[in-house]
Every structure is written in C-alpha cells, then in structure tokens.
Amino acid sequence: MTESLTGRLAQIVGAGYVSTDPDVLDGRAVDHTGRYRGRASALVRPGSADEVAAVLRACRDAGAYVTVQGGRTSLVAGTVPEHDDVLLSTERLTGIGDVDVVERRIAVGAGVTLAAVQRAASAASLLFGVDLAARDSATVGGMASTNAGGLRTVRYGNMGEQILGLDIALPDGSVVHRHSRVRRDNTGYDLTSLFVGAEGTLGVITGLDLRLHPAPAHRVTAVCGFAELDALVDTGRVFRDMDSIAALELVDARASALTAEHLGVAAPVDGAWQLLIELAGDSDQTERLADALGDARLAGEPAVGVDANSQQRLWQVRESVAEILGVFGPPLKFDVSLPLSMIDTFARDSAELVAAHAPDAIPVLFGHIGEGNLHLNLLRCSPDAEPALYAAMMDLIARCDGNVSSEHGVGSRKRDYVGMSRTDADIAAMRTVKKAFDPTGYLNPAVLFRR
Ligand SMILES: Cc1cc2nc3c(=O)[nH]c(=O)nc-3n(C[C@H](O)[C@H](O)[C@H](O)COP(=O)(O)OP(=O)(O)OC[C@H]3O[C@@H](n4cnc5c(N)ncnc54)[C@H](O)[C@@H]3O)c2cc1C
C-alpha cells in the first residue's frame, strides 16, 4: 500500500474513513467463522456511489487489489483478502427511502441490513421476501451479491427475485443506475441479473430497489418429530407444493440437543429429525395443516402454534442453531442442494465420512428442506482433518447429484470445485464476462476463480 494511494483515498472519502491500523485490519481480515484469515493493507468506507466508484478507480490505477465487505457474514470466506487488499466496506451506504405502498417497493443503500429492511416493510404492513438468521448483520448489497436464500425461499424465492433495480459502481470507475418505474421492462441485456450472485467480482452494488409483498393475514406453525429422515422428506415434499407454504425447515436432534444444553432451548417434540412447517394465507390454514399431516409418519404429536407468541417459541430451536455452531471453535461448513431422493443417502454417507476422517467431530444437519438445501456443519473438526475431509465430502456431494453452492456462493473456499457444477465452456464464458468488466482482475480477486 503506497502512501500516495492512502492519501488519494483520504481525499475521496475523508481521512476519518480510511484506516491502516493493524488491529482494525486484522479484525476485518478473518471470515465469520474464524476459520479462514487473510491480510489487508487498508480499510476504506465510502459514503456514496460516486465515492465507491472513485475509490475503485484509484485502486485500479494504483495496481491495488480490492475486496468488498458488507456485513461479513459470508460462510464461504468471500470477504477474506488474500492479496494485501484494500477493504472496501459498504457500511456507510445506509440510506433507506420511503416505502412505496402502491408499487410495493423500497429503495435502500447497499449497506442497509436485512433487519432494517424488514422493519421498514413491517411498518408499512408489508413484508420482505428473504429472511435469514444473520439478519442483524447481513446487508442487502451482500445478499444480492450472493443471491441469498434462506427461511422464506420456499415461498418468495431468492434475493434475485426481490430485486427491481440496482446501482452498481463498475471496476472502471463508472456507475450504472439500472432502475425502472414500471413492472415490465425488456430493454436490452438483463444487467441486474448479471450482478446478482456475482459475489462482487463484476462491480460493487451501491443501492437497490427491492420488491415488498403483502403480509398474509393468517399464519400457522408446527414442529413435527420423525424417527426416520426419509419420512420427514416425504412430508416435506407434500408441503413444499402447497401454495400457502411459508417455511419448511429441517433440524436434526443433535442440533436441538446442543441448543438445549448450551442455550436452554429444547425441541418441543421427540424424534431424531424435526421439521418446522409454516403455512400462511388470507384464510386460516390450520385445517389444511392437519389434513396434510394426516398421512405423515410422525414420531409423536406435533407441536402447533396459532398465535405469534407460540409461533415464536416454535421457531426458537431453528433460530438458535446458528449460535451453537461455534461452541467448539470454528465449524467446518457445507452448503449443498440435493435432489430430495438423495437426502437420506447423503445424511448417512456423510456421517460415515466424518467418522472416518474426523472421529471427534460432531456432524449437525439443518436447512431449507423445500429446496433440498442442507447445511452440514462439522463441530469440533480439527484443521488437520479439513483438507482430506473437504475433498471427500465434495466428491460425495457430486455422487449424490448435489451442487457446489446452494445459497452461500462460491467465495474463496469453494473456487476449486466450480468445475463440479459447471462445464469448462460455462466457466470460460464466466471468465470472459469477468475480463470484460475487470480486465486486470483487481476486484474481489480471491472470489469465484483462482487467479
Ligand atoms: C448465522 C448465519 C445464517 C445465515 N443464513 C443464511 C441463509 O439462510 N441463506 C443464505 O443464503 N445465506 C445465509 N448466510 C450467509 C450470509 O448471511 C449471506 O451470504 C449474506 O448474503 C451475506 O451478506 P453480507 O452483507 O454479510 O455480505 P458479506 O459477507 O460481506 O459479502 C458476501 C460476498 O458479497 C460481496 N459483497 C458484499 N457486499 C457487496 C456489494 N455491496 N457489492 C458487491 N459485492 C458485495 C463480498 O465481497 C463477498 O464476496 C448466513 C450467515 C450466517 C452467519
């Protein structure tokens, strides 16, 4: 990092928003889990789209690498700098516009947290279609960049489906404003989609127009226990196809045992596998829930919540899972979508793999079963076991027809496995797009591709 670049960045954003303090940089150079660490030369916090663009131009001209950081909740080490990078944080891009209740949309800065968008939507009696446990830290810019999914994807789709427009600062220092006030607009390339899921490799999202949804008048929640995973998957398949499905979440009993032991949050039902089901609609869904559970092979009576308080209690175990994953140190994480027919096989074979490679590790399985999207977390998994186990697990995922990344993205952790889910021609086309936007490859250089 040259002094002239530091000076130039300070001119652009103000000296108070540039830091080269080693402690600050150290804290920002590690991933959310604490498992992966890099090295940075400076932190810069621009306050507008034009400042972001000017920062990018200055870094490119100085030959510096830039890693973009939103809420830093990436679970694939997407914000870990590997080249002594300048860290570009979006934390000052926090403007929130008024909710347009007629068009059901809101314009926000990229650094606005998911929770802030949810609060704004709720104040206007609307809701935002994506929800995830990192809602207090994850930013909508980061979520757009990873095309995040989560707890409501089964009903409303991923982040991409919520995006009506974007402001993007490009690697050449220009800014694209892609917005439309009308609902249908097929003018030219769908540039918005190109930046969704690009994980910051093509540009920095600085602002978003987000779609909001009507809030359903009725909601019913149930937690059901199952002795066998395939029985849970069969039931999940039935609910996934219902138009009133609002959430469908799997939690294994090892996870709920840990939430009970460490947080005092016990599962409301017995069974090795638990399924949280939520239905929502304009009419009461309780009877539909009961009918659909009629043929389910349950381990006992389900726990059902029809009012907000009891529903919140039923969500407690699922909401607490994230907190217990770190109790034995940084967990090793896998995020995968599988055909529903392969989930049982994957659960069994992955447990065997873990026992063979890391006998002390505790496998915990949970996820968004509606999409076959599982999060396998290995607690107490030693770093020594990681390389061989990671490769073997990705091989198993491939054999089960799973994908490299379901919702967390590729980041730097999975870049060596992209070929598992994409053909050579597909990867070459992605590299062509990257080169067109960022010929020198200075933006998010550790993400998606190996340099
Ligand atoms: C407890 C917990 C639960 C989670 N649950 C889910 C879940 O259910 N579903 C899910 O999909 N994910 C989940 N995640 C992962 C994570 O929250 C998402 O990936 C989220 O989208 C990241 O947002 P962020 O602001 O933290 O982005 P960051 O982690 O800061 O960045 C993520 C990636 O996007 C890039 N980036 C960030 N901001 C921008 C921007 N403005 N423009 C361009 N690039 C940018 C970064 O360089 C990085 O590559 C969870 C994480 C945690 C810790």
Side-chain angles (χ1 to χ4, degrees):
M1 178 80 177
T2 61
E3 267 181 38
S4 65
L5 178 56
T6 321
R8 179 75 195 107
L9 295 177
Q11 272 174 0
I12 296 167
V13 300
Y17 298 112
V18 179
S19 174
T20 53
D21 179 330
D23 290 339
V24 171
L25 298 181
D26 210 40
R28 301 248 182 175
V30 64
D31 81 311
H32 178 83
T33 65
R35 207 168 177 102
Y36 308 107
R37 178 172 285 284
R39 226 181 55 199
S41 56
L43 167 69
V44 56
R45 298 179 293 143
S48 67
D50 287 341
E51 286 186 8
V52 172
V55 165
L56 291 181
R57 211 175 308 123
C59 290
R60 181 202 59 182
D61 291 350
Y65 293 103
V66 173
T67 286
V68 189
Q69 299 195 329
R72 297 198 298 117
T73 63
S74 165
L75 297 178
V76 284
T79 61
V80 176
E82 292 187 359
H83 302 88
D84 224 5
D85 310 30
V86 172
L87 302 176
L88 189 162
S89 168
T90 60
E91 70 192 51
R92 290 178 63 221
L93 306 177
T94 51
I96 303 190
D98 292 333
V99 172
D100 179 341
V101 288
V102 176
E103 294 297 332
R104 292 203 306 267
R105 59 202 283 167
I106 185 169
V108 295
V112 169
T113 63
L114 169 59
V117 171
Q118 289 173 329
R119 278 194 299 273
S122 169
S125 302
L126 294 170
L127 66 73
F128 184 59
V130 176
D131 191 18
L132 43 83
R135 58 184 76 82
D136 291 324
S137 309
T139 64
V140 284
M143 292 169 59
S145 301
T146 61
N147 195 14
L151 304 165
R152 303 291 176 192
T153 300
V154 68
R155 185 179 183 110
Y156 299 106
N158 281 353
M159 193 65 189
E161 272 123 313
Q162 323 305 322
I163 295 176
L164 300 168
L166 289 180
D167 301 309
I168 310 134
L170 298 181
D172 67 2
S174 58
V175 181
V176 171
H177 300 280
R178 176 59 85 95
H179 297 274
S180 184
R181 300 309 304 169
V182 293
R183 287 190 174 206
R184 297 290 305 154
D185 187 350
N186 276 352
T187 318
Y189 294 148
D190 186 356
L191 280 189
T192 305
S193 293
L194 187 59
F195 290 92
V196 172
E199 300 186 54
T201 56
L202 303 180
V204 181
I205 296 171
T206 58
L208 306 88
D209 255 344
L210 297 172
R211 186 192 304 281
L212 301 175
H213 300 270
H218 297 269
R219 197 174 283 279
V220 60
T221 311
V223 175
C224 308
F226 296 81
E228 305 295 339
L229 182 54
D230 62 351
L232 180 151
V233 172
D234 286 348
T235 303
R237 190 179 288 122
V238 172
F239 280 98
R240 178 195 65 179
D241 296 335
M242 290 172 64
D243 55 2
S244 56
I245 189 67
L248 202 52
E249 292 292 308
L250 161 82
V251 176
D252 76 8
R254 281 175 301 231
S256 52
L258 288 168
T259 61
E261 183 184 342
H262 294 275
L263 303 172
V265 177
V269 293
D270 292 330
W273 304 96
Q274 292 139 28
L275 179 64
L276 183 148
I277 305 162
E278 194 159 276
L279 300 182
D282 292 337
S283 58
D284 186 1
Q285 300 292 310
T286 315
E287 230 170 88
R288 286 190 84 189
L289 174 80
D291 287 349
L293 283 177
D295 294 332
R297 290 174 282 149
L298 302 179
E301 282 298 307
V304 179
V306 291
D307 60 77
N309 281 343
S310 56
Q311 286 165 355
Q312 208 176 1
R313 273 198 299 279
L314 293 180
W315 271 96
Q316 263 185 332
V317 167
R318 178 62 185 88
E319 288 282 357
S320 304
V321 169
E323 258 183 84
I324 52 99
L325 296 177
V327 292
F328 301 109
L332 181 59
K333 302 177 93 68
F334 298 91
D335 157 50
V336 57
S337 275
L338 295 156
L340 293 187
S341 58
M342 295 306 292
I343 285 179
D344 197 37
T345 306
F346 174 74
R348 203 178 43 246
D349 292 0
S350 62
E352 280 173 20
L353 258 190
V354 174
H357 285 268
D360 291 339
I362 306 171
V364 166
L365 197 60
F366 63 97
H368 320 300
I369 195 79
E371 289 77 47
N373 180 186
L374 301 183
H375 300 312
L376 173 64
N377 282 259
L378 307 185
L379 282 45
R380 216 170 47 197
C381 180
S382 85
D384 296 344
E386 178 170 338
L389 177 54
Y390 205 93
M393 193 66 78
M394 294 307 278
D395 189 47
L396 170 64
I397 290 168
R399 278 187 279 118
C400 291
D401 294 330
N403 57 8
V404 169
S405 162
S406 181
E407 60 176 10
H408 293 165
V410 172
S412 58
R413 185 63 191 91
K414 293 185 173 176
R415 65 190 169 202
D416 292 337
Y417 297 94
V418 174
M420 202 179 100
S421 290
R422 297 285 177 259
T423 62
D424 289 349
D426 196 327
I427 294 169
M430 288 197 282
R431 279 190 178 275
T432 302
V433 174
K434 168 72 176 166
K435 214 168 175 80
F437 279 96
D438 180 14
T440 60
Y442 80 96
L443 185 60
N444 270 13
V447 172
L448 192 52
F449 308 108
R450 193 172 274 286
R451 280 180 65 79

